[in-house]
Amino acid sequence: MATARRVGSATSETRAAILAATEQLLVESGYASVSSRSVAAAAGINPGLVHYYFPTLDDLFVAVFRRGAEKNLDRMARALASPTPFQALWRTSADPRGGALFFELMAAANHRPALRAEVAELAERARRLQIEALRELLPQYGVDGGLFPPEFVAAAIQGIALSLGREEALAMATEHRAAAAAMENLLDHLEQRRHAAPPRRAQGPEARS
Amino acid sequence: MATARRVGSATSETRAAILAATEQLLVESGYASVSSRSVAAAAGINPGLVHYYFPTLDDLFVAVFRRGAEKNLDRMARALASPTPFQALWRTSADPRGGALFFELMAAANHRPALRAEVAELAERARRLQIEALRELLPQYGVDGGLFPPEFVAAAIQGIALSLGREEALAMATEHRAAAAAMENLLDHLEQRRHAAPPRRAQGPEARS
DNA sequence: GTGTCGCTTGAACGGCTGTTCAACGACGGC
DNA sequence: GCCGTCGTTGAACAGCCGTTCAAGCGACAC
């Protein structure tokens, strides 16, 4: 029976510094730049100490992911309960830093099975949360549930946010700004429609100008 | 003046094998698993030979990207000129292998400036191509150009495709299948509407069931 | 004072990395 | 027959990697 290795306490300041440094490295330089030594340098500590708190790099990646995921789930739940849930959900999904972090962790999950399982599980939980909320919300917005089922709308919001975030990271030209503006405009329109008319028969998310 | 290093001919069989092996590694194990030696092993050649054809790993990444990009631009142009351009554009964007490759190259571009410039330039060219075509197509589909400008539709198609591809790679449950099915259904609906009615006043992409 | 515990350090292990380079066989031009 | 080029090989360079481990540290219990 393998004796448990020592790991630092969950409330440690150093532990938090390691997580913060890793997050910063992920966002700014990509997952390939994360190593015991680079993280330690960014956090101003000794490299061996990283392995004291996170025996394996996999453990570190998973911890970073869990921390971000919890924050994000909370934020998303609050968004879905806000007075303008659609807009709030979009703002949550389109957060640049969170998007970049999620993107890197997804990429890292590609060759880190332990991380992949974690990411998959949480992505599914978040998706289900959204779908359940959208199932009640979409009729209020007068969206045609036949053409735009909750599963589709959830995937679309996340996909568009992911894509626009990437384009911004690539320093692409103004096209993505136009797309983001159109998204904001569309959401404005939907929120107005929701507050103007009571939920009646299902319809598509458009106006005849 | 630096003397030019020798590089292999552009038509070489070995060169093609290197590119193919790199592509496979990218899709299956992520960009971090691409190294002179791993590529050489996958291609069944000597490691030094990789650097004979691609002096730098950056050169290799850029070459892989260019090859995929050219294929993709061709395919996209053909899609936009097909009888059902919307559907064809979606199928092109949603191609799993191409999507995974693009995803990895985007992630790799994060910490490879040479690659980033290349990716940004091509992503912009592809985006412009789509936008120009959509500017003419969307009215034919009866889509409200005020709520759904071409920039938005282009970003949405690519974003949803990217996101659904990632979810499939994560082996997520059936939610993304429902979303993909809804997308196909929506496209069916749009293509039918386009062929049924002549382009009249701009309207949103929905039907009252 | 002595012992114990959590935190931290520094060094070390083997292994993989990008890149360079001299050398080699084959092959076409002359 | 000789030369130069092309594709190829194998070795070598310095550097970073994940991980382990013994040893040191302060604080706190008794």
Side-chain angles (χ1 to χ4, degrees):
Chain A
M1 182 180 209
T3 69
R5 275 247 320 249
R6 297 194 302 168
V7 296
S9 87
T11 60
S12 157
E13 198 173 314
T14 305
R15 190 189 153 97
I18 293 174
L19 289 175
T22 306
E23 211 176 290
Q24 180 188 339
L25 274 173
L26 276 173
V27 171
E28 289 174 8
S29 316
Y31 73 82
S33 78
V34 172
S35 71
S36 341
R37 288 161 176 91
S38 68
V39 167
I45 59 171
N46 187 282
L49 202 47
V50 173
H51 286 284
Y52 171 73
Y53 285 95
F54 306 96
T56 291
L57 273 198
D58 269 336
D59 297 326
L60 175 56
F61 274 103
V62 168
V64 168
F65 175 71
R66 284 222 183 106
R67 201 175 66 145
E70 275 170 28
K71 261 193 235 167
N72 207 48
L73 272 184
D74 284 355
R75 208 176 148 190
M76 189 176 295
R78 277 203 310 276
L80 289 171
S82 87
T84 55
F86 231 173
Q87 240 168 12
L89 178 59
W90 167 251
R91 299 250 161 86
T92 301
S93 304
D95 168 58
R97 187 179 177 86
L101 190 57
F102 185 56
F103 181 84
E104 280 304 323
L105 287 168
M106 266 183 131
N110 237 11
H111 61 122
R112 286 186 179 274
L115 182 58
R116 165 152 48 197
E118 204 79 19
V119 172
E121 192 210 320
L122 181 110
E124 210 160 309
R125 252 175 62 202
R127 178 56 51 88
R128 264 199 257 273
L129 186 77
Q130 289 176 39
I131 289 175
E132 273 179 44
L134 286 175
R135 205 182 301 285
E136 296 200 4
L137 284 174
L138 289 181
Q140 299 179 24
Y141 285 98
V143 172
D144 180 351
L147 275 181
F148 304 99
E151 293 88 350
F152 174 80
V153 175
I157 290 181
Q158 173 158 329
I160 295 172
L162 185 66
S163 197
L164 290 185
R166 280 300 87 193
E167 291 181 13
E168 193 158 351
L170 282 176
M172 273 178 65
T174 52
E175 283 94 0
H176 83 274
R177 290 189 179 277
M183 187 64 175
E184 294 279 357
N185 181 39
L186 176 59
L187 291 171
D188 268 355
H189 176 80
L190 285 171
E191 297 288 0
Q192 278 175 26
R193 172 141 46 127
R194 175 170 180 246
H195 283 86
R200 293 283 302 160
R201 307 195 62 238
Q203 288 202 349
E206 102 299 8
R208 34 210 71 98
S209 76
Chain B
M1 181 181 209
T3 69
R5 275 250 317 255
R6 297 193 300 169
V7 296
S9 88
T11 62
S12 157
E13 195 173 315
T14 304
R15 190 189 151 97
I18 294 174
L19 289 175
T22 306
E23 212 175 290
Q24 181 189 337
L25 274 174
L26 276 172
V27 170
E28 291 175 6
S29 316
Y31 74 82
S33 77
V34 172
S35 71
S36 342
R37 289 162 177 91
S38 68
V39 167
I45 60 172
N46 186 283
L49 202 47
V50 173
H51 286 284
Y52 171 71
Y53 286 96
F54 307 95
T56 291
L57 273 199
D58 269 335
D59 297 327
L60 175 57
F61 274 103
V62 168
V64 168
F65 175 71
R66 285 222 182 106
R67 201 174 66 144
E70 275 170 28
K71 261 193 233 167
N72 208 49
L73 272 184
D74 284 355
R75 209 177 147 190
M76 188 176 295
R78 277 204 309 278
L80 290 171
S82 87
T84 56
F86 231 173
Q87 240 167 13
L89 179 59
W90 167 250
R91 299 251 160 85
T92 301
S93 303
D95 168 58
R97 188 179 175 86
L101 190 57
F102 184 56
F103 182 84
E104 280 304 323
L105 287 167
M106 265 183 131
N110 237 11
H111 62 122
R112 287 185 179 273
L115 182 58
R116 166 153 49 196
E118 203 80 19
V119 172
E121 192 209 320
L122 182 112
E124 210 159 311
R125 254 175 60 203
R127 180 55 52 89
R128 264 200 257 273
L129 186 77
Q130 289 177 37
I131 289 176
E132 273 178 45
L134 286 175
R135 206 182 300 285
E136 296 200 3
L137 284 174
L138 289 181
Q140 299 179 25
Y141 284 97
V143 172
D144 180 352
L147 276 181
F148 304 99
E151 292 89 350
F152 174 79
V153 175
I157 290 181
Q158 174 159 328
I160 296 171
L162 186 64
S163 197
L164 290 186
R166 279 303 86 192
E167 291 181 13
E168 193 157 352
L170 282 177
M172 271 178 65
T174 52
E175 283 97 359
H176 83 275
R177 291 190 178 276
M183 187 66 174
E184 295 278 357
N185 182 40
L186 176 60
L187 291 171
D188 269 355
H189 177 81
L190 285 170
E191 297 287 1
Q192 279 175 24
R193 172 143 44 128
R194 175 170 181 245
H195 283 85
R200 292 284 301 160
R201 306 195 64 238
Q203 289 200 349
E206 102 299 8
R208 35 212 70 99
S209 75

